[in-house]
Amino acid sequence: GPSAPPGSAFVRVFNAQDQPETQAQLGEQKFEEVASWGSSEFLFVPAGSHPLKVGSASKTVQLQADRYYTAVVNDGQLLLLDSSRYNNRMKALVIVYNLSEAKSLSLRTADGRTPLVDNVTSKGQGSREVNPAKASLAVFDGDRRLGEAPPVNLSRGKAFSLFVVGDASAPRLVWAIN
């Protein structure tokens, strides 16, 4: 596909609901339909103000150059989360999005001993660059283990987004890899 011009903003959509195939549009650009509990690819647009419509939800968003945004649709509401550009091709980037009711979550190894991303607040995100590895990871609320994420092979130069959605006592854990 086409290359993004310098100063572009990048946007993807995460469908955090049981609604099947959701249509989304940013300005004049349309995303491919986003499956339930799925993520779209990133689209790039010039920095600035753009109308965003996902399913029946819509809002005007202000996008900054060289930023990556995730538009989350849940129960007809839109939440826009942003991240800085990731350029380290020698590491894997792990991003945790806390879309649950839990006030603060941590991503650790499945045995709970090694933290990867700590203290991700509700409706927030946290990230960390890590060495490539095959990993079994789990989400914790303090010392209480809430659930294990599907196993993932963290590889160089890729971003691994873990979306933690729903009831804090039994959240749904979904990976998106870019």
Side-chain angles (χ1 to χ4, degrees):
S3 295
S8 294
F10 301 84
V11 180
R12 69 175 168 185
V13 173
F14 179 71
N15 184 0
Q17 53 193 2
D18 284 323
Q19 298 287 335
E21 306 282 316
T22 296
Q23 294 184 355
Q25 185 170 337
L26 179 63
E28 298 299 316
Q29 294 189 64
K30 291 186 178 182
F31 292 88
E32 290 192 20
E33 289 189 344
V34 184
S36 180
W37 307 107
S39 178
S40 72
E41 296 294 322
F42 281 96
L43 291 180
F44 60 86
V45 293
S49 182
H50 298 274
L52 174 64
K53 183 172 177 22
V54 183
S56 62
S58 64
K59 71 190 303 186
T60 299
V61 294
Q62 187 66 35
L63 307 175
Q64 296 178 14
D66 298 322
R67 304 290 292 176
Y68 283 76
Y69 295 89
T70 300
V72 178
V73 62
N74 191 0
D75 293 330
Q77 301 292 317
L78 272 176
L79 174 66
L80 190 68
L81 301 167
D82 79 270
S83 304
S84 59
R85 188 176 201 120
Y86 167 63
N87 290 320
N88 189 347
R89 295 291 184 204
M90 298 307 292
K91 301 266 187 173
L93 178 66
V94 177
I95 308 166
V96 178
Y97 294 90
N98 181 0
L99 305 174
S100 76
E101 302 162 355
K103 290 183 181 177
S104 179
L105 295 177
S106 297
L107 181 66
R108 301 179 191 162
T109 54
D111 62 11
R113 293 184 193 163
T114 308
L116 265 72
V117 181
D118 266 338
N119 303 318
V120 181
T121 60
S122 182
K123 307 299 183 264
Q125 65 183 345
S127 64
R128 180 177 175 185
E129 292 181 5
V130 296
N131 290 322
K134 186 168 184 165
S136 293
L137 304 171
V139 173
F140 289 79
D141 182 358
D143 289 330
R144 195 180 82 189
R145 181 182 162 140
L146 299 180
E148 189 166 335
V152 66
N153 189 15
L154 302 171
S155 52
R156 294 180 200 276
K158 290 188 178 182
F160 297 82
S161 300
L162 181 65
F163 293 91
V164 182
V165 184
D167 185 347
S169 63
R172 183 183 296 250
L173 307 177
V174 180
W175 284 111
I177 302 168
N178 295 96

